[in-house]
Amino acid sequence: MKFIRYEQADKTQIGILNQAGTDILPLSGLLPHRSYATMQELIENITGDELAQLKTALHTGAACPSVPAAQVKILPPIDKPIHDILCVGVNYRDHQKEASEALNDFKAAPRAVYFAKRAIRILGDGGEIQSRPDLDDQLDYEVELAVIIGRRGKDIPKEEAENYIFGYSVFNDISSLHKRSEERRVG
């Protein structure tokens, strides 16, 4: 099931994408007794019964008006993360090779390397990335798999990890490489 956040007539809504990927089934029509204002609220509060109801509606062809996906603005699933984004660095062989070719003194870590990125907001499909050409040599990007954690947990056994995942998304990680310039004197 693919949850989608979209804007229609200046109103932000949440829905699920139909099997063909052409139409959106608004949650307001599928779960009329509930109102989820944000994807974060949905992730934190949706019940197992509601998820089952949505899956059934998706597979049987829900009796609620759908919205053509081509006629709405698709928004990022979550526009303002409540926490830093946790990342795993140099996490596949080709990336290790690329890093070792670019950095003479690079040595792959024996274990996974985790780091955090602060995100004030996340752009959606077609969103404009603001850059500072006067400060940046270039913007670098990598396509990432985003894992959306749906439950709090600590010291979770490996075999139970999937029970804490709400879903997955595609994520572009944009990094800035700064220019190195001579020291400027004011005066």
Side-chain angles (χ1 to χ4, degrees):
M1 182 165 32
K2 296 179 182 177
F3 286 96
I4 192 163
R5 204 170 134 262
Y6 63 100
E7 185 178 284
Q8 181 184 32
D10 293 328
K11 184 179 177 190
T12 299
Q13 299 184 57
I14 299 173
I16 54 176
L17 205 55
N18 71 352
Q19 300 277 12
T22 56
D23 294 307
I24 300 167
L25 303 170
L27 287 190
S28 59
L30 298 172
L31 301 173
H33 62 284
R34 287 295 294 253
S35 175
Y36 293 109
T38 66
M39 191 69 75
Q40 189 65 40
E41 185 180 326
L42 177 126
I43 291 167
E44 292 174 359
N45 297 300
I46 195 162
T47 67
D49 288 344
E50 289 173 332
L51 282 171
Q53 186 178 342
L54 293 175
K55 284 180 187 175
T56 299
L58 186 61
H59 288 61
T60 60
C64 82
S66 63
V67 178
Q71 294 180 9
V72 300
K73 180 179 179 182
I74 305 299
L75 302 172
I78 298 170
D79 64 336
K80 294 182 181 178
I82 59 172
H83 298 290
D84 287 352
I85 297 170
L86 301 177
C87 307
V88 181
V90 193
N91 57 351
Y92 57 94
R93 192 167 297 153
D94 285 349
H95 196 197
Q96 288 178 352
K97 182 180 176 191
E98 178 186 50
S100 64
E101 289 172 357
L103 306 167
N104 294 335
D105 58 349
F106 175 81
K107 289 186 172 67
R111 294 189 188 109
V113 176
Y114 298 93
F115 62 96
K117 284 198 166 207
R118 176 110 341 138
I120 297 169
R121 66 186 170 100
I122 297 176
L123 300 175
D125 182 40
E128 186 174 316
I129 299 167
Q130 294 179 359
S131 68
R132 290 284 313 266
D134 58 325
L135 298 176
D136 300 341
D137 282 331
Q138 63 184 358
L139 291 179
D140 184 43
Y141 66 93
E142 293 178 294
V143 176
E144 306 284 358
L145 171 65
V147 180
I148 313 298
I149 306 301
R151 293 176 35 198
R152 293 183 182 270
K154 183 177 178 182
D155 300 325
I156 301 163
K158 186 187 325 185
E159 53 278 352
E160 296 212 16
E162 286 189 32
N163 296 329
Y164 290 78
I165 297 172
F166 179 80
Y168 302 90
S169 188
V170 176
F171 186 80
N172 269 329
D173 175 18
I174 309 293
S175 300
S176 172
L177 301 176
H178 297 286
K179 284 185 180 179
R180 295 180 187 199
S181 60
E182 294 178 20
E183 185 177 332
R184 297 181 187 179
R185 295 180 189 218
V186 179

